[in-house]
Amino acid sequence: MGAGKTTAIASISDEPPVCTDVNCSGKEASLKQTTTVAMDYSYIQLEDGKRVHLYGTPGQERFNFMWNILTQGGIGLVLLINNDHDEPVQQMDRYLDHFRDFINETGVVIGITRMGIADQASLEEYQTRLLQRGQIYPVFEVDGRCEPDVKVLVYALLAVLDAHSGAL
Amino acid sequence: MAKIDGNLAISMVGLDELDQRVLRVAVGLLSDDGVNYQLLAKNNAASQLVVIDVDTEKGKKHLFQENENQLTLLLGSSTCLAKNHVAMAKPIRVSSLKELLEKVHQRLRSTPAPPIVVPREEEQVVPLPVMEDTLFEVLYRAKQQKQIVKLNCDRDAEIFINGVNGTVAANEKSHRALDKLLKLTSCTLVVSDLSATEFESVIDHCVVSALDACLWKAGVSCPKGIILSGHSMDAAVKLKAWPGFTRHDFKPEYFKIAAILARHAISLNRLVEALKVPKVEIINFYNAAYAVGLIDVVGEAKNAPLSTAASEAKPVSKPSAVSSSIFGKLARRLGFNV
């Protein structure tokens, strides 16, 4: 939660995302004002008129029923981890475990947000964890508010998907 | 504008919670470096520097309350420079804000400040003449042979390389030059040996970087396009981990190479044929990745079929050719030259 999914989608999509944000309550209210409870949606229109649909799924476990729904028919996964959370590396583990099958069939790229203001984990710690898991996934420090950062993330995903699709 | 001997007081107007935290972290980091700022509480405008978010109504209103003794740092989606104003485009990052505040502090401590121009992230690199050896080779040799050396480069830069503990040290001036030097296609280098004691004695006032980070930058910028001595273009190689690209060294070609080598063990010759990426880029990527320990050499594999990592050996449903073309269209749509 709070990794910047909604902002990241907004920074590269053709239309402002359709959001299902509500005001946070309880502990979450101290972390951010609103949170996504179902999904964010927008799209990028290609030159031939086709659309690539962008879905953001809420990060909290209690919404995990949405995760499987939104990955159906998906071509790749961008995983944004909020470095300002407690145990963000373990959080990455949990998401990678949950999406294991989808990632094996498509591809994943990992963006770590809020690294400038939070030092819960360094980029090296994420990379080391991936190495321990035997997974070679792109991992970047990103600012979801910054369009070039999000584009770099998407480009890395495209490169991964292209390599997967048997370009060789 | 007033000269300052000690702490420089900063006030802020209209900053949202996130930007306030960015500012606090930047000020904290500067304090660790001995550059002292004092962040004033909200609504306390008695500062030498005021940071204003001009995208907010509060910020816009404050902008018109001119104060000749106060330097103004404007944050906004579109910014312009004016007298006594320093501008920075949003979103602001800790590193760039810290760098800017450091410059502001230096200027204010010495003399009335002329308008400060925020440095562009990628400054123009001027090639230097004559090459004896490349910086990459010097760094790589130091790492491999665990050498401790002093490196004198053009422009009086003096860099200390410790291949034993994997660090590179340079005084502040040389450190600023180092980033440029790492990207230069050639420069005159003079290398001399140092003892461990000599190294320790000179690094007190130096900025210390990781040798691997310097090796990577120097490797991918190397002009030669010659594979490391003893290595073969026909050996099957594979990445052990994705390189730690930063937003500053984004190069689409390297993403393509990394994506293939992360998935397949393949020879560089085969990679040149398959990717249509210039050979020099593939060799530079390989040299840099090998030097920082990211490459597994699987063995001689001329004409061998692609091998896939065991962890990914599970049959996968490959996206169709239609998907493949969508990737290209999407990349073009996002402004990438593919």
Side-chain angles (χ1 to χ4, degrees), chain A residues 161-162 165-167, chain B residues 319-329:
Chain A
L161 297 176
D162 213 25
S165 71
Chain B
S320 64
V322 175
S323 298
S324 241
S325 73
I326 285 176
F327 302 151
K329 284 173 191 166

Side-chain angles (χ1 to χ4, degrees), chain B residues 227-265:
Chain B
I227 194 166
L228 286 169
S229 171
H231 291 242
S232 163
M233 293 289 289
D234 291 324
V237 297
K238 193 172 184 305
L239 270 181
K240 292 179 192 171
W242 191 274
F245 294 116
T246 69
R247 55 166 72 87
H248 301 303
D249 46 38
F250 170 67
K251 212 169 183 181
E253 293 84 359
Y254 291 159
F255 281 32
K256 287 184 186 174
I257 299 168
I260 296 285
L261 290 182
R263 196 161 190 90
H264 306 286

